[in-house]
């Protein structure tokens, strides 16, 4: 029996991927180097020295991947555009072969009846922009808007909606604060200007996209934050963490202000990055929907050492993914209902732009089916509680290059043999296909 799910009839079903994680062909088609090419070359940066240089070879095998998506019966496909394929140095000259590639992909999707839903930045910044300071440099926000306009001028007649940024929180924390991801800076709180410059880039790009008649979303990684106990110390720590992870990226968009970061010793100008007029621009930028990437809740306790105003506490007694992430499906309902309570009418319609898990079951991936079923039930419960949810994108179509974990975490509905590049649908592929068909009725 296919899993039945109580969501609106016009709900949109999809899968998500990202350019650097699947495309490969890093040195082909005029693509310039990105910060991820550089980072993967750094000894010890990525597990076992893996890189995305070949990944799933999607750059060449995209027709086969579109057929896999057609087989799922998807409404939409969330993929990302590699900025260094469009502008190899991140500014100025446009690489025609890069635009041609995404045009072929978009046209192939449309032929298969699938709506293209591109993300403009999923972490693969052109290296030349990093050499000029990356997202620590305010100018990158302006370059991003120019790039967005170039892509929309070419594809805007076939792409109804765009996602500007993927997970600006994770990019800031992993890339600039802790050095776990590219570009590999470990600046701790001095990374905060990266939040502001990304949001400014989002706003400038959103303006350029809307001028061209497109809808605009952003994909924020959000987590419901649970204090480890009812003590005042744990509650204050949980509030501080919530401000950094969730509110830093949602409040300026929806309320036009940054949350109070006094617990971090940081003022409202985020280390001098915020200029007059910026917040008004960010709040006024068109936002037709909020994309939410949800994986797990976070449990927070009072700090155990100096430096940060919180510490992370384990979530016990629940299953864990292969990555070790706790599986708490109801956290998705909790998150969405909490967002609605926090933002009220300012919360635009929500789309789940990523949700999924890594497993070590290569083909018979019942753990993934359980994960997805639980989260979709939680989504339906949020919808029943009045949250306006419009779509759901499973992460991911294919097993792929999982950043610092290399090829060690498999998130796909489709197994990929990275030697032969053979694709094999897993049990979850069939399950998701049947769920989509059953929902359409
Ligand atoms: C998210 C990323 C995505 C993928 C999943 C597992 O944080 O946006 O690229 O790595 O995690």
């Amino acid at each position: 029996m296919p899993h039945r799910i109580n969501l609106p009839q016009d709900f949109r079903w999809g899968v998500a991927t990202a350019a650097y994680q699947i495309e490969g062909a890093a040195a082909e088609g005029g693509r310039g180097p990105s910060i991820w090419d550089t980072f993967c070359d750094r000894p010890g940066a990525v597990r076992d020295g893996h890189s995305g240089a070949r990944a799933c070879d999607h750059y060449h095998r995209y027709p086969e991947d579109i057929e896999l998506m057609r087989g799922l019966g998807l409404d939409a496909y969330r993929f990302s555009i590699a900025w260094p394929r469009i502008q190899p140095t991140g500014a100025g000259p446009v690489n025609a072969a890069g635009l041609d590639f995404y045009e072929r992909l978009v046209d192939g999707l449309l032929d298969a009846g699938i709506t293209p839903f591109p993300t403009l930045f999923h972490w693969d910044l052109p290296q030349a922009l990093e050499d000029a300071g990356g997202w620590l440099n305010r100018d990158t926000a302006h370059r991003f808007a120019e790039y967005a306009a170039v892509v929309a001028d070419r594809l805007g007649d076939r792409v109804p909606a765009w996602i500007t940024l993927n997970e600006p929180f994770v990019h800031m924390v992993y890339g600039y604060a802790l050095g776990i991801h590219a570009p590999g800076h470990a600046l701790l709180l001095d990374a905060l200007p990266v939040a502001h410059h990304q949001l400014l880039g989002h706003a400038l790009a959103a303006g350029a996209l809307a001028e061209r008649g497109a809808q605009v979303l952003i994909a924020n990684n959000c987590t419901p934050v649970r204090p480890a106990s009812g003590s005042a110390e744990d509650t204050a720590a949980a509030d501080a963490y919530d401000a950094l992870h969730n509110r830093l990226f949602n409040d300026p968009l929806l309320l036009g202000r940054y949350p109070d970061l006094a617990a971090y010793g940081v003022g409202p100008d985020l280390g001098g990055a915020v200029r007059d007029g910026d917040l008004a621009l960010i709040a006024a930028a068109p936002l037709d929907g909020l994309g939410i990437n949800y994986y797990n809740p976070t449990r927070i306790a009072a700090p155990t050492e100096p430096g940060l105003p919180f510490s992370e506490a384990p979530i016990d007694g629940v299953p864990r993914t292969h990555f070790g992430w706790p599986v708490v499906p109801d956290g998705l309902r909790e998150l969405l209902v909490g967002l609605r309570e926090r933002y009220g009418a300012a919360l635009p319609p929500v789309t789940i732009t990523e949700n999924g898990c890594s497993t070590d079951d290569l083909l018979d991936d019942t753990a993934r089916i359980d994960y997805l079923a639980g989260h979709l039930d939680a989504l339906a419960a949020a919808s029943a509680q009045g949250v306006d949810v419009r779509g759901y994108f499973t992460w991911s179509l294919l097993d792929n290059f999982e950043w610092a974990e290399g090829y060690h975490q498999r998130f796909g509905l489709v197994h990929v043999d990275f030697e032969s590049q053979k694709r094999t649908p897993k049990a979850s592929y069939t399950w998701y296909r049947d769920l989509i068909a059953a929902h359409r009725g």
Side-chain angles (χ1 to χ4, degrees), residues 197-344:
H197 295 150
Q198 287 185 95
L199 288 168
L200 186 63
H202 156 80
L204 295 167
L209 294 166
E211 262 172 34
R212 289 162 176 78
Q215 297 214 328
V216 183
L217 292 86
I218 186 171
N220 273 345
N221 181 299
C222 294
T223 183
V225 181
R226 301 168 167 182
S229 80
S231 75
E233 292 78 10
D234 286 353
T235 306
D239 285 346
Y241 186 77
D242 184 39
L244 186 72
H245 191 132
N246 298 310
R247 299 185 61 168
L248 183 59
F249 297 89
N250 290 327
D251 284 13
L253 296 168
L254 305 180
L255 305 177
R257 59 174 183 259
Y258 281 114
D260 182 358
L261 295 178
Y264 296 85
V266 173
D269 67 349
L270 301 190
V274 183
R275 296 191 189 163
D276 279 356
D278 285 358
L279 279 162
L281 187 85
I282 291 168
L287 193 67
D288 300 286
L290 183 63
I292 300 283
N293 294 0
Y294 171 76
Y295 288 92
N296 52 255
T298 307
R299 194 160 161 259
I300 292 292
T304 48
E305 43 191 273
L308 289 171
F310 64 83
S311 65
E312 200 169 339
I315 296 180
D316 296 323
V318 299
R320 290 188 176 267
T321 72
H322 186 55
F323 222 137
W325 298 352
V327 179
V328 187
D330 192 58
L332 179 56
R333 187 200 56 77
E334 178 185 341
L335 170 69
L336 295 177
V337 170
L339 285 171
R340 223 239 340 218
E341 281 167 4
R342 176 171 289 167
Y343 297 110

Side-chain angles (χ1 to χ4, degrees), residues 16-18 21 78 122-123 166-167 170-171 174 181 219 221 293-295 323 325 353-358 395-396 400-404 409 411:
T17 65
Q21 297 181 271
R78 177 180 176 225
H122 201 124
W123 304 349
N166 180 68
E167 298 188 350
V170 176
H171 191 51
Y174 279 49
H181 282 180
N221 181 299
N293 294 0
Y294 171 76
Y295 288 92
F323 222 137
W325 298 352
T353 35
E354 284 182 29
N355 176 243
C357 67
S358 66
W395 184 271
S396 181
N400 60 44
F401 174 76
E402 177 49 36
W403 310 116
Q409 303 295 340
F411 277 88

Side-chain angles (χ1 to χ4, degrees), residues 23 58-59 62 85 96-106:
E23 283 181 3
H58 171 79
Y59 185 76
Y62 72 90
R85 280 198 196 285
L99 282 173
D100 291 348
F101 168 67
Y102 293 108
E103 179 162 79
R104 291 195 298 277
L105 177 62
V106 161

Side-chain angles (χ1 to χ4, degrees), residues 29 46 48 51 54 72 88 127 162 243 272 275 292 325 337 372 378 381:
V46 175
D48 288 342
S51 90
R54 185 151 179 259
L72 281 168
Q127 181 61 40
W162 303 79
R275 296 191 189 163
I292 300 283
W325 298 352
V337 170
L372 297 177

